[in-house]
Amino acid sequence: MTEFVLVAGAWLGAWAWDEVVSELRAAGHRAHAVTLSGLAERQGEPAGQRTHVTDIVDRVERLDLRDVVLVGHSYAGIPVGQAAERIGDRLSRIVFVDSNVPVDGESFVSAWPEGRPMVEASIARNGGFWPPLGAEEYEGQGLEDAQIARIVHSTPHPGATLTEPAALARPLGELPATYVKCLLDGAEPNEDVARLLKSERWELVRMDTGHWPMFSQPHELARILLAAASRTGSRA
């Protein structure tokens, strides 16, 4: 039985995984959706990026989880990638869902040079938080109007988590991983991901949907997660 630990990206909490969690549990596995500090029901808690790494590691260790598949979507790929090396032999596999990946000494905004000034200015204007994007930014991503409205009205994201640098003790390419590329958000992975995909321990899976597949295609995403978990020889 696999223990899935799922972390959604900016602005979102554990609620974002509801449909996927149901599918994973119906398949006989255990699934734990994590809300990071400062978001959703944890809004108001102080948070930096290292806080988010600790949130994930603490959930795994507190529940004494084994055979863990860590799943990180969008921004959450950065803390998930760091948490993966810290849980040691508890890790079975990482799944990055159309996400950023941690690069030692770099932050979320480091990997987004064209958007960095916009994000940093937005954080400065909004008391240290990055507010959800406007509804128009979610068009063309395979989402229904009700789904877009829910994301738009989710939690402003703690700015420090986006600007603090990641810290890795070992090359991320040494860990077993699946990268899920959502094609409506761009046909190819970014340069950091493309380099990691050269590792024999990494695989690429494509989804014909937008950047939020837990809403637009939850059944297909659950199928991909189950397939990743079943890969032989996947232990770190």
Side-chain angles (χ1 to χ4, degrees), residues 87-125:
I87 65 172
D89 63 4
R90 296 174 185 270
L91 178 72
S92 175
R93 194 167 193 84
I94 321 168
V95 181
F96 294 98
V97 180
D98 215 40
S99 74
N100 298 77
V101 293
V103 176
D104 190 53
E106 297 189 10
S107 67
F108 172 85
V109 293
S110 298
W112 194 16
E114 70 279 8
R116 180 172 186 164
M118 178 270 291
V119 174
E120 291 180 337
S122 180
I123 291 169
R125 287 195 306 269

Side-chain angles (χ1 to χ4, degrees), residues 25-219:
R25 290 174 177 168
H29 301 282
R30 294 173 65 181
H32 314 266
V34 176
T35 293
L36 298 173
S37 298
L39 295 163
E41 71 272 15
R42 302 184 66 180
Q43 187 173 12
E45 296 181 17
Q49 191 216 121
R50 290 184 180 86
T51 315
H52 284 177
V53 176
T54 300
D55 287 339
I56 299 163
V57 174
D58 282 355
R59 176 67 70 89
V60 171
E61 293 182 344
R62 186 173 68 252
L63 298 178
D64 194 24
L65 304 182
R66 306 280 172 174
D67 195 22
V68 173
V69 172
L70 286 181
V71 182
H73 162 252
S74 193
Y75 153 78
I78 294 178
V80 160
Q82 294 170 83
E85 65 178 18
R86 299 185 191 186
I87 65 172
D89 63 4
R90 296 174 185 270
L91 178 72
S92 175
R93 194 167 193 84
I94 321 168
V95 181
F96 294 98
V97 180
D98 215 40
S99 74
N100 298 77
V101 293
V103 176
D104 190 53
E106 297 189 10
S107 67
F108 172 85
V109 293
S110 298
W112 194 16
E114 70 279 8
R116 180 172 186 164
M118 178 270 291
V119 174
E120 291 180 337
S122 180
I123 291 169
R125 287 195 306 269
N126 290 277
F129 292 87
W130 189 27
L133 304 177
E136 66 280 0
E137 300 290 341
Y138 300 93
E139 294 177 1
Q141 294 292 316
L143 297 167
E144 299 175 358
D145 289 345
Q147 293 169 333
I148 293 173
R150 196 171 186 195
I151 300 172
V152 167
H153 291 98
S154 54
T155 318
H157 194 91
T161 69
L162 307 174
T163 58
E164 289 181 0
L168 291 172
R170 61 187 286 195
L172 196 58
E174 294 180 359
L175 299 177
T178 297
Y179 191 89
V180 179
K181 184 70 193 81
C182 296
L183 299 178
L184 295 182
D185 197 50
E188 300 296 333
N190 66 31
E191 292 181 2
D192 293 331
V193 175
R195 284 192 292 269
L196 288 164
L197 284 167
K198 294 177 182 179
S199 167
E200 63 181 13
R201 307 207 75 189
W202 279 56
E203 66 169 358
L204 175 66
V205 176
R206 294 178 173 88
M207 291 186 72
D208 190 15
T209 190
H211 184 62
W212 292 270
M214 67 278 282
F215 301 124
S216 59
Q217 290 189 8
H219 305 300

